[in-house]
């Protein structure tokens, strides 16, 4: 009965009545999003010419994707949603899936998940084999860190190709089914990828996650660099002990390619981003999909490394955790407030969606929602220490501070007053 009462008190209806929604004036907020979408969609300089970019062309499925498509979808931590454009059009998740694989690898290597697990847990386990630094190099570069105290070299971070291949090797790594050499659709592979897709489904509100097997087949036929990269790392002792043989190494790369070929759309990715914004609870189901520590660690990596070689400029112009994929999608997280996703297939020279980046930059300008904007609203040390405080801000927004850790749930209100979307 107490649990039912607590759930009732925290229901979206009660939050509406009590004025506790992340975005109080939802209609005004939606109009801001609509305006940004319309402005970018109508910008002729982003449709053709030197600023427009081009589709990824290394496989036909990406090269031939309709380049005029554009979408934006938002899901708040309260479960309010909106979207404009081609939000329900499916595509392969590509490198954005590296984020989810990293989180799942941390989640699986804990005693809470596996009582038989021994040794370091969560991020401590994963980061025995993968670094946490921006590489300053291309995402598919043959570059590893300097040797550690044990003489081992590592990928710079989990969202480079090298880092993601190693991270993917940790997912369901003790699966008892036999490896079938060269068969990326074997019973073992389907069992392992099901673990990943089930996790992604939890992030996305329980919706079924499919496969783009035509994309996978093309990716696999062109994966010479990734197979070479895996061998390069194996020769330097980079992988966990479970990866020893050529067949195991080949499976690591094929599994990574299957992860990148998962079938998603912009609406689903916005829900996944919102689950990270709540630090682990899907706002549409109320179910905990991942521990808060894993969510925070993933967001920390995405803040510094998520946008390829554009990560530094992204931090200065948008300032939010994000991850992009070469199908043209970007997920963006405003902690404690919203998750959003943008999609448009034409990419810039660094592999990020041209119109997706522009939409994100314009939303940040309208809403003042970068992490530094959020932190700038902390007026005293007591706020920084999460001591409860009620305050009014010069721009008219009212924020009730709570003692929740990190970017507290109540702090999500701070920028909405500036944007005129608080009641």
């Amino acid at each position: 009965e107490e649990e039912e009462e607590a759930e009732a008190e925290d229901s979206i209806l009660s939050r509406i009545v009590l004025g506790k929604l992340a975005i109080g004036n939802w209609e005004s907020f939606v109009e801001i999003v609509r305006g940004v979408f319309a402005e970018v969609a109508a910008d002729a300089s982003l449709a053709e010419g030197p600023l427009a970019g081009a589709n990824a062309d290394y496989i036909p499925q990406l090269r031939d994707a309709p380049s005029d498509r554009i979408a934006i979808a938002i899901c708040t931590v309260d479960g309010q949603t909106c979207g404009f454009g081609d939000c329900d059009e499916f595509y392969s998740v590509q490198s954005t899936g590296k984020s989810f694989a990293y989180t799942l690898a941390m989640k699986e290597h804990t005693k809470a998940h596996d009582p038989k697990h021994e040794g370091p847990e969560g991020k401590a386990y994963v980061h025995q084999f993968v670094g946490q630094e921006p590489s300053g190099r291309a995402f598919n570069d043959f570059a590893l860190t300097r040797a550690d105290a044990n003489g081992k070299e590592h990928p710079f971070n989990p969202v480079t190709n090298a880092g993601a291949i190693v991270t993917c090797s940790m997912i369901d790594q003790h699966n008892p089914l036999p490896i079938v050499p060269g068969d990326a659709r074997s019973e073992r592979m389907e069992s392992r990828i099901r673990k990943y897709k089930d996790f992604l489904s939890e992030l996305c509100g329980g919706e079924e996650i499919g496969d783009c097997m035509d994309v996978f087949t093309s990716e696999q036929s062109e994966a010479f660099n990734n197979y070479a990269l895996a061998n390069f790392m194996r020769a330097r002792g980079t992988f966990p002990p479970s990866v020893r043989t050529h067949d195991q190494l080949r499976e690591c790369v094929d599994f990574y390619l299957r992860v990148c070929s998962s079938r998603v759309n912009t609406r689903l990715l916005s829900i996944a981003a919102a689950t990270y914004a709540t630090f682990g609870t899907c706002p549409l189901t109320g179910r905990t999909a991942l521990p808060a520590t894993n969510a925070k660690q993933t967001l920390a990596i995405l803040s510094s490394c998520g946008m390829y070689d554009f990560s530094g400029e992204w931090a200065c112009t948008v300032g939010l955790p994000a991850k992009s994929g070469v199908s043209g999608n970007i997920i963006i997280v405003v902690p404690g407030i919203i998750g959003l996703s943008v999609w448009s297939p034409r990419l810039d020279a660094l592999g990020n969606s041209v119109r997706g980046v522009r939409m994100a930059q314009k939303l940040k300008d309208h809403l003042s929602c970068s992490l530094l904007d959020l932190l700038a609203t902390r007026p005293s040390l007591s706020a920084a220490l999460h001591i409860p405080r009620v305050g009014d801000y010069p721009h008219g927004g009212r924020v009730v501070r709570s003692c929740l850790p990190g970017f507290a749930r109540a702090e999500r209100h701070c920028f909405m007053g500036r944007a005129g979307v608080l009641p």
Side-chain angles (χ1 to χ4, degrees), residues 123-147:
K123 70 177 183 179
Y125 176 85
V126 172
H127 288 292
Q128 294 178 105
F129 310 101
V130 182
Q132 302 182 77
E133 300 292 337
S135 70
R137 312 285 283 269
F139 62 89
N140 59 354
D141 199 49
F142 281 70
L144 302 175
T145 63
R146 294 180 181 178

Side-chain angles (χ1 to χ4, degrees), residues 79-141:
Q80 293 172 291
T81 62
C82 72
F84 300 98
D86 306 296
C87 292
D88 292 316
E89 184 157 337
F90 287 98
Y91 44 79
S92 56
V93 70
Q94 294 296 326
S95 286
T96 301
K98 297 172 181 176
S99 316
F100 313 133
Y102 172 53
T103 305
L104 181 55
M106 289 190 288
K107 180 182 179 182
E108 285 194 353
H109 289 89
T110 61
K111 286 189 178 297
H113 180 84
D114 178 9
K116 296 181 180 179
H117 179 81
E118 296 182 358
E121 296 189 54
K123 70 177 183 179
Y125 176 85
V126 172
H127 288 292
Q128 294 178 105
F129 310 101
V130 182
Q132 302 182 77
E133 300 292 337
S135 70
R137 312 285 283 269
F139 62 89
N140 59 354
D141 199 49

Side-chain angles (χ1 to χ4, degrees), residues 139 307-311 324 347-352:
F139 62 89
M307 295 295 287
Y308 302 129
D309 294 349
F310 188 66
S311 294
S324 61
L347 311 178
D348 59 25
L350 298 175
N352 300 309

Side-chain angles (χ1 to χ4, degrees), residues 294-330:
N294 293 169
K296 292 178 181 178
Q297 176 64 19
T298 303
L299 295 181
I301 291 293
L302 299 192
S303 294
S304 61
C305 310
M307 295 295 287
Y308 302 129
D309 294 349
F310 188 66
S311 294
E313 187 168 342
W314 175 270
C316 294
T317 59
V318 178
L320 291 166
K323 185 68 192 85
S324 61
V326 294
S327 55
N329 72 80
I330 307 173

Side-chain angles (χ1 to χ4, degrees), residues 83-313:
F84 300 98
D86 306 296
C87 292
D88 292 316
E89 184 157 337
F90 287 98
Y91 44 79
S92 56
V93 70
Q94 294 296 326
S95 286
T96 301
K98 297 172 181 176
S99 316
F100 313 133
Y102 172 53
T103 305
L104 181 55
M106 289 190 288
K107 180 182 179 182
E108 285 194 353
H109 289 89
T110 61
K111 286 189 178 297
H113 180 84
D114 178 9
K116 296 181 180 179
H117 179 81
E118 296 182 358
E121 296 189 54
K123 70 177 183 179
Y125 176 85
V126 172
H127 288 292
Q128 294 178 105
F129 310 101
V130 182
Q132 302 182 77
E133 300 292 337
S135 70
R137 312 285 283 269
F139 62 89
N140 59 354
D141 199 49
F142 281 70
L144 302 175
T145 63
R146 294 180 181 178
D148 62 15
N150 298 315
K152 305 296 184 183
E153 300 174 33
H154 308 290
F156 280 89
N157 62 71
V159 292
T160 61
N161 284 19
I165 290 170
V166 173
T167 301
C168 283
S169 75
M170 304 176 196
I171 296 173
D172 195 27
Q173 66 181 31
H174 301 302
N175 189 301
L177 293 170
I179 293 176
V180 180
D183 185 357
R185 297 175 176 83
S186 68
E187 185 180 359
R188 174 185 165 93
M189 180 66 78
E190 293 302 327
S191 173
R192 292 187 66 200
I193 201 67
R194 173 50 58 189
K195 296 277 181 69
Y196 169 78
K197 291 193 296 182
D198 285 348
F199 173 65
L200 183 50
S201 175
E202 288 185 73
L203 297 178
C204 296
E207 297 205 32
E208 183 72 18
I209 303 299
D211 299 286
C212 296
M213 291 306 294
D214 57 336
V215 172
F216 168 75
T217 299
S218 293
E219 294 273 11
Q220 189 182 39
S221 70
E222 296 293 332
F224 304 111
N225 193 83
N226 286 324
Y227 290 122
L229 188 54
N231 280 279
F232 174 77
M233 293 189 290
R234 176 65 186 86
R236 287 155 180 78
T238 299
F239 284 92
S242 58
V243 180
R244 298 180 180 277
T245 69
H246 286 290
D247 289 342
Q248 290 167 336
L249 199 64
R250 173 69 181 261
E251 185 191 41
C252 290
V253 178
D254 287 344
F255 182 77
Y256 160 72
L257 297 176
R258 288 290 302 267
V259 164
C260 293
S261 301
S262 298
R263 186 172 178 261
V264 296
N265 60 36
T266 309
R267 180 180 57 82
L268 291 176
L269 289 179
S270 72
I271 300 168
T275 302
Y276 282 95
T278 68
F279 302 110
T281 300
C282 177
L284 298 191
T285 65
R287 296 174 182 169
T288 299
L290 66 150
T293 53
N294 293 169
K296 292 178 181 178
Q297 176 64 19
T298 303
L299 295 181
I301 291 293
L302 299 192
S303 294
S304 61
C305 310
M307 295 295 287
Y308 302 129
D309 294 349
F310 188 66
S311 294
E313 187 168 342

